[in-house]
Amino acid sequence: MDKTARTSRPIHPLLSQRWSPRAFADRPVEPARLVALLEAARWAPSSYNEQPWHFIVAPRVETESFDRLLGCLSRGNASWAGKAPVLMLAVAQLVDVDGDPNRHAFYDVGQAVAQMALQALDLGLYMHQMAGFDVEKAQQVFAIPAHFEPAAAIALGYLGDPAGLPERYREGEVRPRSRKALAEFVFAGQWGQASPLSTGGP
């Protein structure tokens, strides 16, 4: 199944080939590869090098932890994510080393997870990041302290067969990927005025 993005200009293959499947193979993720993903996240940039990311990792073989994280997901996400070999929770530290609010925390955690996603693809793995989960329940279930907040849930594994997905998700799994045109979000001069650069794309 080829989901390579149809880009307006050539970009790195890891970027054009990255996507978020819901169908995962029944194959465990090797610990060494999982550590490599976390190492990639470790070296992400962050404001003042605060590194406000934390990860709760729950491989399916660790049944209790996996089930607790699965139980935090929305019903729709749980219907397919339960077959992933690894679930994770990305958590943002909302205060800096001085105890002041860190308004860049979620941005920085997103960068760490993005690096993780590209490292995953380089190792033949895929990630699906999820906003659909119960934040308060996750905080309670995993005893996440104050000033830390779950930012995203993540399913990780090797690509599987879409035929095993609930029917409502099968079509999306094989549908070509799409994105907004550059002119819709690249501005110059003032807000909403398309940059000349945007004419280089569809």
Side-chain angles (χ1 to χ4, degrees):
M1 185 166 53
D2 185 8
K3 297 274 283 190
T4 303
R6 299 171 183 171
T7 60
S8 61
R9 291 291 185 272
I11 61 175
H12 195 284
L14 287 179
L15 296 169
S16 61
Q17 294 168 13
R18 187 221 59 81
W19 66 289
S20 304
R22 290 184 172 89
F24 291 98
D26 187 16
R27 173 185 171 187
V29 175
E30 299 84 347
R33 294 192 175 198
L34 191 50
V35 171
L37 268 61
L38 296 165
E39 183 70 9
R42 176 183 174 221
W43 288 98
S46 62
S47 177
Y48 290 97
N49 199 26
E50 291 277 352
Q51 305 167 51
W53 46 76
H54 297 74
F55 297 94
I56 295 172
V57 184
R60 188 150 38 117
V61 293
E62 297 177 11
T63 308
E64 182 183 352
S65 183
F66 185 91
D67 288 346
R68 283 191 289 146
L69 186 39
L70 184 64
C72 294
L73 302 184
S74 67
R75 183 179 300 177
N77 284 335
S79 69
W80 56 265
K83 293 187 178 179
V86 179
L87 293 178
M88 291 189 280
L89 197 62
V91 180
Q93 182 173 341
L94 302 181
V95 297
D96 61 21
V97 292
D98 297 320
D100 297 321
N102 181 358
R103 65 177 296 267
H104 303 288
F106 281 97
Y107 180 89
D108 292 342
V109 171
Q111 294 198 87
V113 176
Q115 291 199 178
M116 184 186 292
L118 296 177
Q119 182 65 50
L121 188 59
D122 188 54
L123 296 173
L125 295 161
Y126 289 82
M127 286 173 45
H128 191 116
Q129 302 168 53
M130 296 170 276
F133 70 99
D134 188 325
V135 173
E136 292 184 2
K137 183 176 181 180
Q139 288 176 313
Q140 186 175 46
V141 164
F142 291 101
I144 297 171
H147 307 305
F148 292 79
E149 185 174 325
I154 301 165
L156 166 72
Y158 292 98
L159 200 60
D161 186 351
L165 286 172
E167 185 176 355
R168 62 185 289 200
Y169 296 119
R170 287 179 206 154
E171 182 185 352
E173 202 77 352
V174 298
R175 184 188 308 127
R177 297 162 58 204
S178 64
R179 288 295 188 273
K180 295 177 180 178
L182 293 177
E184 295 184 58
F185 64 89
V186 182
F187 305 147
Q190 63 183 26
W191 185 265
Q193 180 173 301
S195 166
L197 293 171
S198 66
T199 61

